[in-house]
């Protein structure tokens, strides 16, 4: 509060009473229109406070007489968005997956949507972009346990792998050769060496080869090239789901492996599963 | 309890009395008188040129062939293109627009350093439209005295029709102005028709209304208030000025002591100013230039014209008020020859900046490529090991075709021997030369996989260059990316 109000002798304007180095500040008034705009803003905010959520209480807040919340607004927007997607999704649900791929518009929609759906549902195990991790197959490479055609992928998605709540699930069981007493540890070592030699990682082992023909070839094939009908991996390629060290291979033979994937048919609708299959197929390894 | 101590109450009253009336200033209406003369003529000429350019420009046609707008100046927001005669700008080239704004700003600095507030007085849209609105006002309500009288009159038929007519004409001009603004963003003939038939979009009507409203408000009602209170320019333009900058100045050494003068009286011992207030009456901001340099003065020079008229009448030399620099004002007062000092460090710096920015922009425009490429390496997976042990990397490639023709071009790679490419989902055999078809005036978007044998990849990250070549193998554009591998 100014202590002394004085009039400036030159301009006749009052000073604010503030003085710096002998220079006094004139109290020049604001223009009226400016002030009215300011009042209008104050009025506007008062109305706003009544209409919209404004005053915070201790535990909640005043919600405004319009009952507007951003949560509702988001829900409404989402509903609108899924309404807009319906025309595509309905068609995708109706058509055969190959027909969806053949339709450029539907395919583009499926790939764009599949990307998001994959991140939501699949990426926790298979990693983003289908990179894969130890025990969770990469979906971007050209090595498929159960088949890499569109229909194969769709089937795997629907019924899962070793899924306990789906009767049509993809299932196979590799024996636990040591634990079930089928092979001794030295025999397993020999088989492991033979398996590694198939992809040039180790020297050939005649004993191992013989045991492999007896015990393993029925699923993995005589050449070790695997068999997709039973999800038996190709052992001759450079891809190792659990790792390509001898110790890991010994472990696999001795105690078996058996990855699990849920059946998605009950959780995701048909269109969603097709979109995911198309997306996975386009990651680079689709057949 | 409920009674205020008398002293306290008095003090509060006193404080209110001191503060309340002085906090707000009433709007003092300015009634500028018509004036004629050299600066008024220049002002008319510039006004006509500016308005003509503004209203006509969107109607200039420019043939760009089929599938492209034929409007010379167009900022197509929906199509995300800017058109300036033969130049077409894409959203990522918005720096041309930025450059244009920088150019404008530096040119403004230079003009201000040399000639003072010529922008404010002659070319600023606020000035131009206010001048136009005042012209209308004078036609309908008469000159200064007639207008003052009309405003003081009680309500009458004469007053009613004149006021109504004035605001009607103002609104028509404002609507034309707002309409012309829209035309810079949409095809002019189409949007004009749509506005009248009611087919234009809500957004179009909104902006049409917005610019109509602001024109009417700012040029009709706010006028000098905009310059004095809203515009930031008057506040910092002094930073560009020095003692050699021209400014409208009342030459006090010649004018004082002012006083009334009767014909035949001697001019000895007195100044040339006859205190007729002609300069005040014509001033569009309502100030008295004789009080010295003021924030409100927009440097329009109308007071010079007004005073020259008077000086001729009383037979004294013209230019008692003049465009003159502070340095020369002093020299004239001391009867020294005046100097014209255009080349000063600040003007040289502004001019150099102007040339530099113009050169950079011209260079960028001349070397503007018709093809542009962006390559985005996949983040996940960074690389994929395939069953035969070879490595694969994924890329998203965007190819910008700024021409008007669809072209089939070839994607090639360099940096990794034996590397091959294939498009996602096409099922074609990998090759080192991949044909891609790019739609005209659009962006082609491709998922490309590059495959390389394991033994040729030595590093965890190898430089891989994508090139785009035409049928003859001429390189159109390229992009440096990387090929990733496990350590
Ligand atoms: S003082 Fe003179 S130059 Fe300045 S605004 Fe008024 S008429 Fe124009
Ligand atoms: S117009 Fe010229 S003579 Fe008249 S008051 Fe202004 S400065 Fe003085």
């Amino acid at each position: 509060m100014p202590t002394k109000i004085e009039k400036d002798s030159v301009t006749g304007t009052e000073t604010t009473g503030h003085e710096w180095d002998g220079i006094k500040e004139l109290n020049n008034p604001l223009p009226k229109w400016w002030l009215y705009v300011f009042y209008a803003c104050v009025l506007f905010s008062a109305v706003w406070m009544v209409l919209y959520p404004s005053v915070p209480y201790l535990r909640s807040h005043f919600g405004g007489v319009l009952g507007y919340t951003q949560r509702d607004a988001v829900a409404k927007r989402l509903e609108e968005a899924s309404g807009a997607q319906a025309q595509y999704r309905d068609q995708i649900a109706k058509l055969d997956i190959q027909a969806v791929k053949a339709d450029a518009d539907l395919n583009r929609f499926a790939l764009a949507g599949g990307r998001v759906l994959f991140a939501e549902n699949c990426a926790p195990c298979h990693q983003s972009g289908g990179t894969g991790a130890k025990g969770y197959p990469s979906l971007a490479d050209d090595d498929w346990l159960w088949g890499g055609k569109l229909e194969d992928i769709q089937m795997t998605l629907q019924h899962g792998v070793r899924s306990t709540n789906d009767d049509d699930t993809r299932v196979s069981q590799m024996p636990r050769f040591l634990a079930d007493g089928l092979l001794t540890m030295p025999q397993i070592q020999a088989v492991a060496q033979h398996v590694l030699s198939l992809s040039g990682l180790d020297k050939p082992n005649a004993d191992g080869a013989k045991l492999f023909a007896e015990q393993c070839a029925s699923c993995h094939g005589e050449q070790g090239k695997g068999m997709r009908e039973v999800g038996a991996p190709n052992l001759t390629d450079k891809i190792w789901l659990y790792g390509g060290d001898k110790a890991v291979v010994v472990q696999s033979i001795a105690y078996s492996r058996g990855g699990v994937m849920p059946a998605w048919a009950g959780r995701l609708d048909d269109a969603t599963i097709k979109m995911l299959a198309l997306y996975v197929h386009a990651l680079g390894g689709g057949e | 309890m409920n009674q205020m101590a008398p002293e306290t109450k008095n003090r509060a009253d006193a404080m209110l009395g001191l503060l309340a009336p002085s906090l707000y200033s009433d709007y003092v209406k300015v009634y500028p008188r018509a004036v004629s003369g050299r600066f008024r003529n220049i002002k008319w000429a510039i006004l006509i040129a500016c308005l003509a350019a503004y209203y006509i420009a969107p109607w200039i046609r420019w043939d760009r062939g089929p599938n492209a707008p034929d409007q010379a100046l167009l900022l197509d927001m929906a199509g995300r293109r800017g058109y300036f005669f033969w130049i077409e700008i894409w959203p990522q080239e918005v720096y041309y627009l930025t450059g244009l704004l920088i150019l404008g700003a530096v040119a403004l600095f230079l003009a201000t350093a040399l000639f003072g507030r010529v922008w404010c007085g002659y070319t600023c849209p606020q000035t131009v439209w206010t001048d136009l609105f005042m012209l209308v006002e004078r036609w309908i309500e008469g000159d200064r005295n007639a207008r003052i009288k009309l405003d003081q009159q009680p309500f009458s038929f004469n007053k009613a029709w004149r006021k109504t007519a004035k605001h009607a004409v103002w609104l028509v001009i404002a609507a034309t102005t707002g309409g012309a603004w829209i035309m810079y963003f949409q095809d002019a003939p189409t949007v004009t028709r749509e506005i009248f038939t009611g087919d234009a979009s809500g957004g179009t009507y909104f902006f049409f209304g917005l610019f109509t409203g602001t024109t009417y408000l700012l040029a009709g009602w706010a006028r000098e208030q905009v310059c004095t209170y809203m515009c930031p320019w008057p506040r910092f333009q002094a930073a560009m000025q020095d003692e050699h900058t021209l400014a409208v100045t009342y030459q006090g050494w010649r004018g004082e002591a002012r006083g009334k003068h009767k014909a035949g009286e001697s001019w000895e011992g007195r100044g040339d100013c006859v205190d007729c207030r002609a300069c005040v009456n014509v001033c569009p901001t309502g100030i008295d230039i004789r009080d010295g340099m003021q924030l409100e003065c927009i440097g329009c020079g109308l007071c010079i014209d007004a005073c020259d008229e008077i000086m001729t009448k009383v037979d004294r030399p013209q230019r008692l008020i003049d465009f003159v620099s502070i340095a020369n004002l002093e020299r004239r007062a001391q009867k020294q020859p005046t100097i014209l000092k255009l080349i000063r460090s600040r003007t040289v710096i502004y001019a150099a900046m102007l040339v530099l920015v113009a050169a950079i922009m011209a260079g960028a425009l001349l070397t503007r490529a018709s093809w542009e490429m962006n390559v985005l390496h996949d983040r996940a997976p960074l690389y994929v090991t395939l069953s035969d042990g070879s490595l694969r990397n994924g890329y998203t490639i965007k190819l910008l075709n700024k021409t008007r023709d669809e072209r089939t071009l070839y994607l090639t790679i360099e940096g990794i021997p034996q590397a091959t490419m294939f498009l996602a989902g096409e099922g074609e055999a990998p090759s080192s030369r991949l044909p891609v078809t790019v739609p005209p005036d659009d962006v082609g978007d491709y998922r490309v996989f590059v495959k390389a044998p394991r033994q040729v990849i030595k590093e965890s990250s190898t430089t891989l260059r994508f090139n785009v070549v035409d049928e003859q193998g001429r390189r159109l554009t390229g992009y440096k990316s990387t090929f990733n591998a496990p350590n």
Side-chain angles (χ1 to χ4, degrees):
Chain A
M1 191 47 60
T3 47
K4 54 181 193 303
I5 309 278
E6 62 170 321
K7 258 199 168 57
D8 172 52
S9 58
V10 183
T11 59
T13 314
E14 278 160 4
T15 70
T16 58
H18 302 157
E19 189 176 331
W20 294 273
D21 297 341
I23 300 172
K24 290 171 187 163
E25 186 186 29
L26 296 187
N27 190 8
N28 274 315
L30 292 167
K32 274 252 166 69
W33 62 262
W34 191 97
L35 202 75
Y36 292 146
V37 171
F38 175 66
Y39 289 154
C41 292
V42 172
L43 202 69
F44 178 87
S45 49
V47 174
W48 184 276
M49 273 179 76
V50 175
L51 294 181
Y52 287 98
S54 48
V55 187
Y57 303 151
L58 272 185
R59 289 227 165 63
S60 67
H61 64 278
F62 171 66
V65 296
L66 288 186
Y68 171 91
T69 74
Q70 293 201 329
R71 203 173 281 272
D72 289 351
V74 168
K76 205 163 144 260
R77 293 279 300 272
L78 284 176
E79 213 168 281
E80 281 168 14
S82 57
Q85 290 177 355
Q87 49 158 328
Y88 293 107
R89 299 184 65 99
D90 290 351
Q91 279 197 66
I92 292 175
K94 239 184 290 157
L95 291 173
D96 172 72
I97 193 159
Q98 289 293 351
V100 176
K101 185 174 155 57
D103 185 316
D105 270 350
L106 289 183
N107 191 39
R108 198 173 315 126
F109 177 82
L111 292 182
R115 186 189 180 82
V116 178
L117 294 166
F118 187 88
E120 277 174 11
N121 297 294
C122 318
C125 290
H126 290 287
Q127 308 299 309
S128 67
T131 308
K134 187 177 169 202
Y136 303 102
S138 160
L139 303 176
D141 63 22
D142 57 348
D143 186 30
W144 297 92
L145 291 174
W146 300 92
K149 297 204 170 49
L150 269 176
E151 291 80 359
D152 298 332
I153 300 170
Q154 187 186 1
M155 172 78 83
T156 307
L157 270 160
Q158 277 168 338
H159 302 293
V161 178
R162 300 181 188 95
S163 170
T164 48
N165 55 1
D166 191 302
D167 294 340
D168 298 325
T169 194
R170 295 189 184 277
V171 65
S172 68
Q173 190 60 59
M174 173 170 167
R176 300 148 69 219
F177 285 93
L178 182 70
D180 296 346
L182 296 170
L183 293 172
T184 62
M185 202 49 176
Q187 288 176 315
I188 290 175
Q189 295 275 359
V191 174
Q193 188 181 342
H194 170 72
V195 167
L196 288 171
S197 77
L198 292 175
S199 50
L201 292 177
D202 209 335
K203 289 188 288 292
N205 183 308
D207 288 347
K210 199 164 145 276
L211 286 165
F212 185 88
E214 286 166 7
Q215 301 281 353
C216 317
S218 56
C219 287
H220 288 285
E222 281 175 26
Q223 319 280 310
K225 293 227 184 264
M227 199 183 289
R228 287 183 176 177
E229 294 74 32
V230 291
N234 182 345
L235 302 174
T236 64
D237 65 17
K238 300 280 198 298
I239 296 169
W240 299 92
L241 186 51
Y242 294 91
D245 298 343
K246 192 163 179 192
V248 176
V249 177
V250 166
Q251 171 88 7
S252 297
I253 300 169
Y255 298 103
S256 172
R257 303 278 186 188
V260 178
M261 167 171 159
W264 291 94
R267 316 181 189 201
L268 301 176
D269 64 26
D270 214 25
T272 304
I273 286 179
K274 280 182 192 158
M275 286 163 77
L276 278 170
L278 283 160
Y279 172 76
V280 168
H281 189 260
L283 282 176
E287 290 172 349
Chain B
M1 260 287 274
N2 52 7
Q3 218 156 26
M4 218 185 243
E7 319 81 72
T8 320
K9 188 173 182 299
N10 282 347
R11 259 205 16 230
D13 275 359
M15 260 151 60
L16 272 178
L18 278 171
L19 292 172
S22 62
L23 268 180
Y24 321 119
S25 92
D26 272 321
Y27 168 55
V28 182
K29 193 165 176 187
V30 183
Y31 296 90
R33 179 167 70 73
V35 64
S36 56
R38 180 154 171 222
F39 293 104
R40 182 64 265 187
N41 288 342
I42 297 176
K43 215 159 137 59
W44 283 137
I46 294 176
L47 177 135
I48 291 168
C50 288
L51 289 176
Y54 175 74
Y55 289 119
I56 296 172
W59 293 89
I60 304 172
R61 299 290 104 181
W62 188 267
D63 185 24
R64 294 189 183 86
N67 307 322
D70 63 346
Q71 185 160 316
L73 292 170
L74 183 66
L75 257 182
D76 182 357
M77 292 289 182
R80 297 192 293 168
R81 294 283 181 279
Y83 300 96
F84 180 84
F85 292 95
W86 64 96
I87 304 172
E88 184 185 327
I89 289 177
W90 285 41
Q92 57 268 54
E93 294 172 310
V94 77
Y95 50 78
Y96 286 116
L97 233 57
T98 316
L100 223 53
L101 290 177
I102 295 175
L103 216 55
V106 180
L108 184 58
F109 294 173
L110 181 62
T112 305
L114 290 174
F115 311 116
R117 293 183 70 174
V118 281
W119 161 261
C120 296
Y122 292 87
T123 43
C124 173
Q126 175 62 23
T127 290
V128 169
W129 262 271
T130 301
D131 226 9
L132 180 67
F133 274 46
M134 283 179 179
L135 182 70
V136 171
E137 191 170 58
R138 258 198 309 273
W139 271 345
I140 298 175
E141 294 185 354
D143 206 356
R144 175 179 158 88
N145 292 339
R147 291 207 303 276
I148 296 177
K149 234 169 79 205
L150 189 73
D151 277 1
Q152 284 165 352
Q153 267 174 21
F155 185 79
S156 69
F157 173 71
N158 178 45
K159 187 168 177 173
W161 86 258
R162 282 183 198 277
K163 292 278 175 197
T164 316
K166 177 179 84 175
H167 287 285
V169 177
W170 278 1
L171 277 170
V172 170
I173 297 175
T176 323
T177 309
W181 183 257
I182 304 291
M183 291 174 200
Y184 285 89
F185 298 87
Q186 292 177 46
D187 184 54
T190 317
V191 76
T192 309
R193 189 170 358 95
E194 284 177 353
I195 283 178
F196 282 109
T197 56
D199 293 330
S201 66
T204 303
Y205 283 116
F206 172 78
F207 283 108
F208 177 49
L210 183 71
F211 292 114
T212 302
T214 46
T215 308
Y216 173 70
L217 211 64
L218 295 183
W221 293 88
R223 295 188 175 177
E224 80 286 348
Q225 301 272 307
V226 175
C227 311
T228 314
Y229 294 109
M230 294 185 193
C231 181
W233 180 234
R235 269 144 246 277
F236 67 82
Q237 43 111 18
M240 283 117 224
Q241 303 184 346
D242 53 33
E243 72 272 23
H244 295 291
T245 303
L246 294 187
V248 177
T249 312
Y250 165 74
Q251 308 196 59
W253 63 271
R254 211 192 109 185
E256 300 301 321
R258 65 182 84 158
K260 298 285 176 213
H261 179 267
K262 286 206 182 71
E265 267 179 21
S266 156
W267 290 94
E268 277 308 311
R270 58 157 292 158
D272 284 345
C273 175
V274 295
D275 209 6
C276 63
R277 294 183 64 82
C279 52
V280 183
N281 292 344
V282 299
C283 176
T285 70
I287 57 164
D288 189 340
I289 189 64
R290 295 174 299 171
D291 293 344
M293 208 186 236
Q294 287 151 79
L295 175 90
E296 290 90 340
C297 174
I298 57 170
C300 65
L302 294 185
C303 49
I304 304 180
D305 282 345
C307 188
D308 279 354
E309 215 172 288
I310 302 297
M311 288 299 113
T312 318
K313 249 185 235 163
V314 300
D315 208 17
R316 299 296 297 168
Q318 292 198 335
R319 296 297 151 83
L320 172 54
I321 306 173
D322 199 0
F323 266 109
V324 60
S325 66
I326 295 172
N328 278 343
L329 186 70
E330 275 164 19
R331 282 166 183 273
R332 281 184 191 172
Q334 284 150 23
K335 304 278 183 285
Q336 286 169 354
T338 57
I339 47 161
L340 185 67
K341 202 161 170 228
L342 294 180
I343 300 177
R344 285 120 56 191
S345 50
R346 84 172 60 232
T347 59
V348 170
I349 291 171
Y350 290 148
M353 274 165 68
L354 199 65
V355 172
L356 187 73
V357 177
I360 291 174
M361 276 185 68
L365 258 178
L366 288 176
T367 55
R368 180 179 186 266
S370 307
W371 294 91
E372 231 178 86
M373 183 184 205
N374 284 302
V375 177
L376 196 68
H377 190 284
D378 280 1
R379 294 211 189 159
L382 271 177
Y383 55 83
V384 174
T385 306
L386 298 175
S387 46
D388 62 357
S390 59
L391 293 167
R392 198 190 69 208
N393 278 212
Y395 304 84
T396 302
I397 296 183
K398 285 192 197 297
L399 205 48
L400 280 64
N401 179 1
K402 297 184 194 169
T403 71
R404 293 259 156 221
D405 312 300
E406 179 176 285
R407 285 282 292 278
T408 297
L409 298 169
Y410 298 89
L411 215 53
T412 62
I413 31 180
E414 63 182 274
I416 298 176
Q418 300 173 51
T420 53
M421 292 176 280
F422 63 100
L423 283 177
E426 299 290 318
E428 274 168 40
S431 80
S432 57
R433 191 164 175 269
L434 202 63
V436 286
T437 304
V438 202
D441 192 47
D442 206 347
V443 183
D445 200 335
Y446 314 94
R447 279 282 295 149
V448 172
F449 291 113
V450 175
K451 227 172 103 173
R454 183 70 183 93
Q455 58 276 14
V456 305
I457 306 294
K458 305 273 188 297
E459 320 257 341
S460 64
S461 172
T462 315
T463 302
L464 179 69
R465 221 190 139 75
F466 286 90
N467 286 318
V468 173
V469 299
D470 63 9
E471 291 84 349
Q472 283 80 41
R474 273 191 305 255
R475 187 179 164 280
L476 296 175
T477 178
Y479 199 95
K480 203 178 96 185
S481 188
T482 53
F483 189 91
N484 290 321
N487 296 315

